[in-house]
Amino acid sequence: MRTPTRDEVVQAADEIIAAFAATDGARYFSRFAPSATFLFHTEPRRLGDRATYERLWDGWIREGWRVVSCTSSEPLVQLHPGVAIFTHTVDTTVQTVEGEESYRERETIVFAVDDAGLLAVHEHLSPLG
């Protein structure tokens, strides 16, 4: 089983972060496996697959939600045969119908090696501070 390189992981994470920062759902979700799971402190339960998160995202968009800014810092990459774990601190500002909201969070993204490169299979956000 191939072990991904640090550069591959950083590039894959950067693509996810850039797509999220642009509120580009198609590009963002293309970096996740259909079976990916999501744990967000802002949601009452785990999102059990990508389609569930896409429906939630689409609802946010219909309500006027969009990302104003998203920056990543303190990245850490852990490499293992077949998988990689990317953790970082993420500062995000979003626009909602109620105004702007900003969050500082820790995020973990787990990547798995597949034929096309790396796909994210899990994302976890925890509040920071």
Side-chain angles (χ1 to χ4, degrees):
M1 182 160 291
R2 184 174 76 80
T3 299
T5 67
R6 183 184 188 288
D7 287 348
E8 285 178 293
V9 176
V10 169
Q11 180 179 350
D14 284 350
E15 290 172 5
I16 287 174
I17 295 163
F20 184 82
T23 320
D24 184 341
R27 191 164 47 116
Y28 175 74
F29 286 110
S30 74
R31 303 302 306 156
F32 288 91
S35 62
T37 56
F38 304 86
L39 284 174
F40 301 144
H41 64 94
T42 55
E43 295 302 317
R45 60 179 105 22
R46 178 183 58 229
L47 305 176
D49 57 33
R50 186 180 71 194
T52 300
Y53 184 19
E54 287 179 292
R55 286 191 298 275
L56 181 64
W57 174 287
D58 289 344
W60 294 341
I61 296 295
R62 282 191 303 275
E63 294 171 0
W65 177 91
R66 70 176 178 83
V67 179
V68 175
S69 66
C70 179
T71 58
S72 171
S73 60
E74 304 179 83
L76 174 67
V77 175
Q78 297 170 270
L79 304 173
H80 302 279
V83 298
I85 301 165
F86 177 84
T87 57
H88 66 143
T89 299
V90 61
D91 292 287
T92 304
T93 298
V94 297
Q95 179 71 48
T96 71
V97 293
E98 298 174 5
E100 287 191 357
E101 300 173 8
S102 295
Y103 307 97
R104 176 162 251 228
E105 301 163 306
R106 285 195 175 118
E107 181 175 47
T108 300
I109 304 172
V110 179
F111 291 97
V113 174
D114 82 345
D115 294 338
L118 292 178
L119 274 180
V121 294
H122 181 73
E123 182 179 20
H124 185 140
L125 280 169
S126 301
L128 183 62

